[in-house]
Amino acid sequence: KKLKLSTANHANSELILKQSNNNNSSRFRTHRSISEKEEMTTSDQSPPHNVFVYGSFQEPAVVGLILECTPATVSAQLHGFHLYRLKGRLHPCIAPSENGKVTGKILTGLTDGQLENLDMIEGTEYVRKTVEVVLTDTWEKKKVETYVWAKEDDPNMYGEWHFEEWKRLHM
């Protein structure tokens, strides 16, 4: 299978995930269209980042390729947003919705470099914002960052995107 994660309109940051079977095990390889593997550096002065993800980045194999590690995750809900499908795309988006609720995961302890990598992948069609989520196991509220669709009234947003359906069809 070939899974293509569109990264807005930036060919530079297009990421193609290829799944190949070798001895009954699945391996993933990444290919960047312009640059080879970018080094991610850690700043000793910057605190770690926590990012709420709600789409394909909930899948450890996908986020592991993008961040070159698999960060610890915590299940959470984001209230006041809706998780939309995007016409012609495999990935979803979120936009404000008064009675909405989005279920996802918090990627914890990310470095500045890893956050910059996520910014690059999400491109200009998403805006990184600080939001408040509720941890599903403790109901504790926590401030985290997430990526919100920049075009709030986009006619390409419709319905509801489902992680388990995406996983069944594309992993």
Side-chain angles (χ1 to χ4, degrees):
K1 289 182 185 176
K2 190 179 197 182
L3 173 63
K4 183 176 181 180
L5 295 177
S6 172
T7 57
N9 295 323
H10 297 295
N12 293 6
S13 59
E14 186 174 274
L15 183 67
I16 299 172
L17 303 177
K18 292 182 180 178
Q19 180 179 9
S20 62
N21 292 321
N22 184 13
N23 298 331
N24 294 328
S25 67
S26 295
R27 293 183 320 180
F28 291 86
R29 295 185 203 131
T30 59
H31 302 278
R32 298 220 175 155
S33 58
I34 298 296
S35 61
E36 289 298 316
K37 230 199 253 187
E38 297 171 33
E39 282 191 28
M40 289 188 243
T41 58
T42 310
S43 169
D44 294 334
Q45 298 173 353
S46 180
H49 303 276
N50 297 315
V51 178
F52 178 76
V53 295
Y54 47 81
S56 59
F57 290 169
Q58 293 180 83
E59 174 58 38
V62 174
V63 80
L65 286 168
I66 292 165
L67 300 180
E68 299 178 341
C69 71
T70 306
T73 61
V74 179
S75 295
Q77 293 180 340
L78 174 61
H79 295 266
F81 286 84
H82 182 80
L83 182 61
Y84 290 97
R85 292 177 179 265
L86 285 166
K87 187 176 178 181
R89 301 181 191 209
L90 295 177
H91 60 84
C93 71
I94 60 172
S97 174
E98 189 175 323
N99 297 317
K101 177 174 69 173
V102 177
T103 300
K105 297 186 187 285
I106 302 170
L107 304 177
T108 64
L110 302 186
T111 65
D112 289 344
Q114 290 168 325
L115 187 63
E116 288 170 12
N117 201 18
L118 287 176
D119 287 345
M120 180 190 71
I121 295 294
E122 295 295 17
T124 59
E125 291 183 324
Y126 291 88
V127 177
R128 182 168 29 103
K129 292 188 174 184
T130 300
V131 294
E132 185 175 81
V133 296
V134 178
L135 305 184
T136 54
D137 56 349
T138 65
W139 299 106
E140 176 188 347
K141 292 181 180 182
K142 187 171 183 93
K143 293 242 185 233
V144 297
E145 297 177 85
T146 196
Y147 293 89
V148 177
W149 193 243
K151 301 177 224 164
E152 211 171 290
D153 296 324
D154 190 336
N156 291 317
M157 296 186 320
Y158 71 98
E160 188 164 346
W161 190 88
H162 298 279
F163 174 68
E164 291 303 323
E165 177 185 357
W166 172 87
K167 190 173 176 179
R168 182 174 44 80
L169 293 172
H170 303 289
M171 290 304 294

